[in-house]
C-alpha cells in the first residue's frame, strides 16, 4: 500500500528471477543478499558465543572435563579466544549491520530499485561466505586454530614454531581475513556508488535517513581501511611462507634461530591498527544511525539536530583514521607520537558525546512508545555511554600504563562494541522484521530477551573494569599462577555464572525469530507508523522495491508530530501542509 | 527500458540511459580503484619505514641499518614501455567504441568512422602487450633469481617481488576484463553495454599503467 | 515500562558507581615515585567521568519515564534541535576531554620523554617464552654482548640471554630470575625479547612496557617502598602467557649491595 507521490519508472534492469538457485542462492537481489549476510552473521554469533562460553568455563574451572570436548588445555583456551574475537568482529559486527541490514534497506530508503552493481553484490557475499568457511576450517586442521589473538601480532603470528595452532591454522586464519577484505572492499564499492548516484528525486543527501548516512560513512571507512589490512595480511603470509622478514627481526624460539632478521613487529601493529581503529567505527556507526532512527520514530519527534548528527558521524569517520596509535602506547612507539595520538583520541570523544546528547534531546518532550526496537535503542544509548566513558581513561597514555592489556580494556570494548553494537543488530531485527517477513516478532518474548540481555551484559562486562584496575591481565587462560589473581577469582566466577544466564536468554531471541516467521502476528505495511521509504512499499517489498514506480521525496525523514498535520507522522513521499525543510 | 539493438543510433532517452550507466560505472571504478590504492599506500609506507629501520644487532648491542637497494634489471624499463604502449592501444579502442555509438552528440570526441573489427584489433593488441608485460616481469624475476636475489634474500628484494607481484596480479585481472570487453564487442551486445564495458576496462587499464609507473619510480628513486 | 527502565538503569548506575567509589577491587598500593601522580589523575578522571556517567544514565532513565506515551492526546514537542545548545555542549565536552588529557600529559612527559638519570641502577629485562630474566652489568657497569646463536634457556640465566663469554664486559654480568632493586633510587630497565612480544608489567610500580624483539627499550622508574611486587606478562606471547610471572624485590640500599656482592662473587 503506497501512499504519497510516485513517478512512473522504467522497468528494473533485470526481471524477477525464477528458480530456486537464481532466487535464493545466487540471487542478484539486494534484499536476498542482505538476508544471506544476516543469516551468516546469525550462525557466526552463536559460534562466537559458544566459544566464549567455553572460555568462561575454563577460566574458573581449568581442569574440568567437558562432555564431547574433554579438558580444555591452555593453548586451546587461546585458540578459543582468538577465534571468538575474529569471528565476532569480522563475521558478526562487520557483517550483519552493513552487509545484512545495509544491503537490504539502503536502496529502499533512498528510493532505488537495487544496489548499483548487483553482480558485485552477490560476489561480495559469496567471497565473505568462503572466508567464513576457511576461518572455521582452522579448527579442524593439524595443530588446530591459531592462538595469537584476533590482533595477530607477529612474531607470534608469523612463526609456526611459536605455539600450537600457529602452523596451518594460522595460515588459514590469514587467508580467511584476506578473503574477507576483498569481500568488504567490493561491498563498500557498491554502497558508496549507490548512495551517491541512485537517490530518488527529492532525496538530497541532507534528506537521507541517518541510517543511510551511517551505512555510507561506514562504507567509506571500509574502503580506505580494508586495503590496509589486506596489505598487512599479504606481508604476513609472505613472512610465514616465503621466508621474508617484514615483521620478524632476529629471533629464536625454543633455542632455535627462526631464520628471519631485520623486520619490525611494530610495522604490523601500525598497519593493523590503521585498519583496526576505523574497524571499530565500522562496527558501531550503523547502530548509531539506527538508534537515531528509532528514538525518533518511537518518541514521535524529529531527531534532535539532524545536521549535527551528520557532521558528528563524518568527524568520527575522518578522525577515526588519526587515532590508531592509542592501541600502541605501550608498544615501544615514540612517546611523542603517543602524545599526539592521545590528544586526537580525546577529541574524537566529542562527536560521540554530541550524538548522545542529541539522542537524549530527541527523547525530551517526546511521546515514547516502548516497542521492542525502542527498548533496544534505549539500551543502546545506555551501553554506548557506559562503554564510551571508559574510553577517556585509556586514551590518556599515563593512565593506560596500568590499564593496557588488562580486563579494563576487555570490559571497555565489549560494552561498546560487543554489546552496544549487538543491541543495534537486535533493534534492527525487531524493527525491520515486519517489513522483511510480513509478521511481527512476539513482543512478550522480545521483552524477556531485552531484560536478560541488558542486565546480563552489564553484569558480565562492568565487573571487568574492576578486574582491570586490580591488575588482571588479558588473555590469561588461568588465574592459578599469579598470587594477586587468586583474590579475583570470585568476581570471575560471578561473571561466568551471569554469562550462562545471559547466553540462555539469547535462545529466546533465536526461537522468537524463527517462530514469528511462521506464526507471528501479521503486520501491516507500516506497523510502526514511520516515515521512511521502506514503509511505503508492500511487505515484503517486490523485486524492484517500488513495483515499477519510483518515489518522489518531499522532505526529510523525521517529520513526526508536525503541527497542523492530520496524523503524527508524514511519509517522505507525502508533501507537508506547511513546508518545513 | 528501451533495449538498444545493434543499430548505432541512440534516442534521447537512450543517451540519458547511457550517460547514467557510464557515470555510475565510472564512479564505481573510481571508488574501487581507491580501495586498491590503499593496498599500495600500505606497501609504500612499509617500504619507506623498512628502509630507515635500524635493527638491533645482538652481537654489538647496537642498532644498525641493513637496507641495500637492489639494482633493477634493465628489462623492467622495456616492460614499462610495453605497458605504456598498451595504454595507448587501449585508449584507441575505448574512443572508437565511444565514437561509434554517439554520432549525434556534440563531441569532445573527434569524428572518425567506426568499425567493430577495428576495436577488436586494438583490444587484441592491448591484450598481447599486457601479456608480454607479464611475461617480461616473470623474466625479470628469473634474472633476479639468477643474480641471487630471491624473495627473502634481502629486505629490498622482498619489496621488489612484492610490488611487482601484486601489480601483476591486478594486471592479470585487467586482462580478464579485456577478454570480457572483447566478448562484449564481438557478440553484438547492446551498444550501451559496449561503451560502458570498454570505458571501465580502459580506465582500469590506465590505472594499472599509472600504478606501474609509480612503483617503478618508487623502486628506482626511493630505493 | 518507562518506570521499570528508569529503575533498572538507575540501579545499574548506582551499583556500578558504588564499586568504583568503594574500591572493592582496586589498584594495589602504589610503590613508585610516579604512582602518586598517576593515581591522582586516575581519580580526577574517575570523578569527572563518573559525574558524566551518572548524569547521562540518570537523564536517560528519567526521560524514558517522564516522556512515556500515557495514552492521552498530548502531542510530542515538534523541534529539529537547538543550535546554540549544540555549540554549547560541544565546546564544553571538548574542553573537558582535551583538558583532561593535557593535564595528565605532564606525567607522561616526565616518565617517557627523558632518559634515566646518570647513576640509576641498570637492569636488562629480557622476556622469553615463558620467563623473565634480569641481567645486571656487574662492577664494570657495562653490559656484555649477546649472540642469538648462543641462546639456550636450558643452561640457565646466562645461556637464556645468549651471553657471549668472549666479550670482556660479559665476565661480570650475571642473570637472575628475581629482580632486586634498591629503594629510593631510580632504576633504568632495558627491555628486550628474544622470540615474541612480551610486556613487563609491575602493577605496584604502575609500570608497563612491551618488550619487543629487535628493540632494546630504555625506561625508568623509582621504587619508593620496600617489599615484594609481582611481575606479570601483559602481552599475549603463547600458551604459557598466563604463567610468565616473576618477582621484584625492593630492598634497602645495604641489602641490595649485599645481594650484588653475593651474586658477583658467585661469578668468580
Amino acid at each position: 500500500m503506497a501512499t504519497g507521490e510516485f513517478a512512473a519508472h522504467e522497468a528494473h534492469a533485470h526481471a524477477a528471477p525464477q528458480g530456486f538457485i537464481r532466487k535464493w542462492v545466487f540471487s542478484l537481489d539486494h534484499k536476498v543478499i542482505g538476508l544471506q549476510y544476516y543469516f551468516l552473521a546469525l550462525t557466526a554469533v552463536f559460534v562466537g558465543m559458544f566459544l566464549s562460553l567455553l572460555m568462561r568455563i575454563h577460566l574458573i574451572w581449568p581442569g574440568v572435563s567437558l562432555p564431547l570436548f574433554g579438558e580444555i588445555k591452555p593453548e586451546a583456551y587461546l585458540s578459543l579466544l582468538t577465534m571468538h574475537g575474529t569471528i565476532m568482529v569480522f563475521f558478526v559486527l562487520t557483517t550483519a549491520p552493513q552487509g545484512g541490514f545495509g544491503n537490504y534497506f539502503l536502496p529502499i530508503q533512498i528510493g532505488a530499485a537495487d544496489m548499483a552493481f548487483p553482480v558485485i553484490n552477490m560476489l561480495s557475499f559469496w567471497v565473505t561466505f568462503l572466508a567464513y568457511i576457511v576461518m572455521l576450517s582452522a579448527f579442524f586442521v593439524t595443530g588446530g586454530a591459531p592462538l595469537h589473538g584476533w590482533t595477530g601480532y607477529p612474531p607470534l603470528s608469523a612463526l609456526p614454531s611459536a605455539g600450537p595452532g600457529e602452523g596451518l591454522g594460522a595460515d588459514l586464519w590469514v587467508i580467511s581475513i584476506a578473503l574477507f577484505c576483498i569481500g568488504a572492499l567490493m561491498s563498500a564499492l557498491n554502497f558508496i556508488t549507490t548512495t551517491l548516484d541512485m537517490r530518488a528525486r527529492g532525496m538530497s543527501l541532507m534528506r537521507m535517513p541517518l541510517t543511510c548516512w551511517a551505512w555510507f560513512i561506514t562504507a567509506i571507512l571500509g574502503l580506505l581501511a580494508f586495503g590496509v589490512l589486506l596489505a598487512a595480511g599479504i606481508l604476513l603470509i609472505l613472512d610465514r611462507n616465503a621466508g621474508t622478514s617484514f615483521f620478524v627481526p632476529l629471533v629464536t624460539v625454543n633455542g632455535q634461530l627462526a631464520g628471519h632478521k631485520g623486520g619490525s613487529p611494530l610495522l604490523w601493529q601500525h598497519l593493523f591498527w590503521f585498519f583496526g581503529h576505523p574497524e571499530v567505527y565500522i562496527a558501531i556507526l550503523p547502530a548509531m544511525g539506527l538508534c537515531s532512527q528509532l528514538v525518533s520514530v518511537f518518541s514521535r519527534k524529529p531527531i534532535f539536530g539532524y545536521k549535527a548528527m551528520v557532521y558528528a558521524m563524518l568527524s568520527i569517520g575522518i578522525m577515526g583514521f588519526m587515532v590508531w596509535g592509542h592501541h600502541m602506547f605501550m608498544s615501544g612507539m615514540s612517546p611523542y607520537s603517543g602524545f599526539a595520538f592521545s590528544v586526537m583520541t580525546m577529541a574524537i570523544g566529542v562527536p560521540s558525546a554530541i550524538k548522545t546528547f542529541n539522542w537524549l534531546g530527541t527523547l525530551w518532550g517526546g511521546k515514547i512508545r516502548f516497542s521492542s526496537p525502542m527498548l533496544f535503542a534505549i539500551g543502546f544509548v545506555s551501553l554506548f555511554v557506559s562503554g564510551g566513558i571508559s574510553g577517556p581513561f585509556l586514551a590518556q597514555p599515563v593512565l593506560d600504563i596500568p590499564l593496557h592489556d588488562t580486563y579494563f580494556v576487555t570490559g571497555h570494548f565489549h560494552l561498546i562494541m560487543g554489546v552496544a553494537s549487538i543491541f543495534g543488530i537486535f533493534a534492527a531485527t525487531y524493527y525491520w522484521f515486519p517489513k522483511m517477513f510480513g509478521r511481527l516478532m512476539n513482543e512478550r518474548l522480545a521483552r524477556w530477551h531485552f531484560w536478560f540481555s541488558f542486565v546480563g551484559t552489564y553484569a558480565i562486562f562492568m565487573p571487568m573494569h574492576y578486574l582491570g584496575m586490580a591488575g588482571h591481565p588479558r588473555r590469561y587462560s588461568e588465574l592459578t599462577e599469579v598470587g594477586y589473581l587468586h583474590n579475583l577469582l570470585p568476581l570471575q566466577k560471578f561473571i561466568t555464572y551471569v554469562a550462562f544466564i545471559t547466553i540462555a536468554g539469547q535462545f529466546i531471541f533465536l526461537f522468537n525469530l524463527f517462530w514469528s516467521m511462521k506464526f507471528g502476528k501479521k503486520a501491516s505495511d507500516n506497523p510502526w507508523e514511520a516515515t521512511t521509504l521502506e514503509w511505503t512499499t508492500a511487505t515484503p517489498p517486490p523485486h524492484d522495491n517500488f513495483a515499477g514506480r519510483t518515489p518522489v521525496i518531499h522532505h526529510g525523514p523525521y517529520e513526526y508530530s508536525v503541527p497542523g498535520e492530520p496524523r503524527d507522522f508524514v511519509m517522505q513521499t507525502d508533501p507537508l501542509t506547511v513546508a518545513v525543510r | 527500458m528501451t533495449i538498444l539493438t545493434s543499430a548505432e543510433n541512440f534516442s534521447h532517452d537512450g543517451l540519458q540511459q547511457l550517460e547514467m550507466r557510464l557515470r555510475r560505472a565510472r564512479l564505481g571504478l573510481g571508488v574501487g580503484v581507491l580501495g586498491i590504492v590503499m593496498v599500495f599506500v600500505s606497501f609504500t609506507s612499509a617500504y619507506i619505514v623498512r628502509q630507515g629501520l635500524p635493527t638491533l644487532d645482538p652481537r654489538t648491542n647496537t642498532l644498525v641499518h641493513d637496507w641495500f637497494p637492489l639494482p633493477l634489471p634493465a628489462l623492467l624499463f622495456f616492460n614499462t614501455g610495453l605497458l605504456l604502449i598498451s595504454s595507448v592501444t587501449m585508449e584507441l579502442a575505448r574512443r572508437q567504441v565511444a565514437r561509434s555509438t554517439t554520432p549525434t552528440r556534440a563531441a569532445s570526441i573527434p569524428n572518425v568512422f567506426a568499425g567493430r573489427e577495428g576495436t577488436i584489433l586494438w583490444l587484441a593488441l592491448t591484450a598481447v602487450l599486457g601479456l608480454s608485460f607479464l611475461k617480461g616481469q616473470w623474466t625479470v624475476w628469473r634474472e633476479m633469481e639468477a643474480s641471487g636475489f630471491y624473495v627473502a634474500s634481502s629486505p629490498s628484494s622482498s619489496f621488489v617481488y612484492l610490488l611487482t607481484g601484486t601489480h601483476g596480479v591486478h594486471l592479470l585481472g585487467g586482462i580478464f576484463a579485456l577478454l570480457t570487453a572483447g566478448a562484449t564487442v564481438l557478440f553484438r551486445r547492446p551498444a550501451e553495454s559496449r561503451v560502458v564495458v570498454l570505458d571501465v576496462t580502459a580506465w582500469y587499464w590506465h590505472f594499472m599503467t599509472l600504478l606501474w609507473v609509480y612503483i617503478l619510480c618508487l623502486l628506482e628513486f626511493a630505493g | 515500562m518507562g518506570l521499570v527502565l528508569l529503575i533498572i538503569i538507575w540501579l545499574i548506575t548506582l551499583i556500578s558507581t558504588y564499586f568504583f567509589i568503594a574500591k572493592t577491587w582496586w589498584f594495589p598500593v602504589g610503590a613508585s615515585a610516579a604512582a602518586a601522580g598517576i593515581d591522582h589523575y586516575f581519580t580526577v578522571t574517575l570523578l569527572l567521568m563518573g559525574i558524566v556517567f551518572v548524569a547521562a544514565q540518570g537523564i536517560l532513565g528519567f526521560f524514558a519515564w517522564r516522556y512515556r506515551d500515557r495514552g492521552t492526546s498530548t502531542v510530542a514537542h515538534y523541534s529539529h534541535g537547538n543550535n546554540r545548545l549544540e555549540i554549547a555542549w560541544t565546546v564544553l565536552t571538548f574542553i573537558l576531554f582535551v583538558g583532561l588529557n593535557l593535564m595528565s600529559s605532564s606525567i607522561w612527559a616526565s616518565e617517557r620523554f627523558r632518559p634515566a638519570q646518570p647513576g640509576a641502577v641498570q637492569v636488562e629485562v629480557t622476556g622469553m617464552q615463558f620467563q623473565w630474566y634480569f641481567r645486571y652489568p656487574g662492577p664494570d657497569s657495562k653490559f656484555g654482548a649477546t649472540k642469538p646463536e648462543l641462546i639456550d634457556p636450558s643452561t640457565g640465566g646466562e645461556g637464556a640471554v645468549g651471553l657471549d663469554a668472549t666479550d670482556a664486559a660479559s665476565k661480570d654480568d650475571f642473570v637472575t630470575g628475581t629482580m632486586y632493586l634498591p629503594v629510593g633510587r631510580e632504576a633504568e630497565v632495558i627491555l628486550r625479547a628474544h622470540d615474541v612480544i612480551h610486556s613487563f608489567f609491575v602493577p605496584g610500580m604502575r609500570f608497563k612496557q612491551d618488550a619487543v624483539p629487535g628493540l632494546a627499550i630504555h625506561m625508568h622508574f623509582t621504587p619508593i617502598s620496600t617489599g615484594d611486587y609481582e611481575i606479570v606478562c601483559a602481552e599475549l606471547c603463547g600458551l604459557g602467557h598466563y604463567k610468565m610471572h616473576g618477582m621484584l624485590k625492593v630492598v634497602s640500599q645495604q641489602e641490595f649491595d649485599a645481594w650484588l656482592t653475593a651474586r658477583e662473587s658467585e661469578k668468580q
Side-chain angles (χ1 to χ4, degrees), chain C residues 85-137:
Chain C
L85 211 51
E86 293 279 13
I87 295 174
W89 61 44
T90 304
V91 171
L92 282 171
T93 312
F94 183 80
I95 293 173
L96 172 66
F97 282 176
V98 179
L100 256 178
N101 184 295
L102 293 175
M103 272 201 313
S104 69
S105 59
S106 57
I107 297 214
W108 180 250
S110 71
E111 288 304 294
R112 305 259 164 154
F113 288 4
R114 67 162 179 87
Q117 286 159 6
V121 179
Q122 289 197 307
V123 189
E124 185 194 70
V125 178
T126 301
M128 202 159 77
Q129 286 178 335
F130 296 102
Q131 268 220 279
W132 292 105
Y133 299 95
F134 307 99
R135 177 157 72 128
Y136 291 80

Side-chain angles (χ1 to χ4, degrees), chain A residues 473-518:
Chain A
R474 283 173 74 175
R475 298 169 163 169
Y476 269 32
S477 57
E478 289 168 35
L479 277 61
T480 50
E481 296 295 316
V482 177
Y484 69 81
L485 290 184
H486 295 147
N487 308 331
L488 301 175
L489 192 58
L491 195 50
Q492 286 279 25
K493 283 196 165 143
F494 171 77
I495 294 174
T496 299
Y497 298 146
V498 182
F500 268 107
I501 302 171
T502 312
I503 288 177
Q506 303 317 306
F507 285 91
I508 301 175
F509 168 76
L510 195 62
F511 172 76
N512 195 356
L513 185 69
F514 287 104
W515 184 88
S516 304
M517 280 186 206
K518 269 247 133 173

Side-chain angles (χ1 to χ4, degrees), chain A residues 107-151:
Chain A
I108 305 179
Q109 284 195 336
I110 60 171
D114 203 318
M115 283 285 194
F117 308 113
V119 176
I120 294 182
N121 206 7
M122 178 195 73
L123 283 173
S124 75
F125 170 73
W126 285 108
V127 169
T128 308
F129 180 79
L130 181 62
Y132 185 52
I133 300 296
V134 173
M135 181 60 71
L136 291 177
S137 71
F139 277 117
F140 301 105
V141 298
T142 322
L147 48 58
H148 53 231
W150 91 280
T151 47

Side-chain angles (χ1 to χ4, degrees), chain C residues 194-207:
Chain C
H194 286 312
D195 42 25
V196 297
I197 302 177
H198 300 275
S199 192
F200 182 71
F201 178 31
V202 193
M205 296 293 147
R206 305 290 187 270
F207 183 86

Side-chain angles (χ1 to χ4, degrees), chain B residues 54-56 58-61 63, chain C residues 144-149 192 214:
Chain B
T55 194
L56 187 67
R59 274 157 262 270
T60 55
N61 248 355
L63 294 171
Chain C
T146 56
K147 274 200 163 121
E149 311 83 85
R192 297 182 58 184

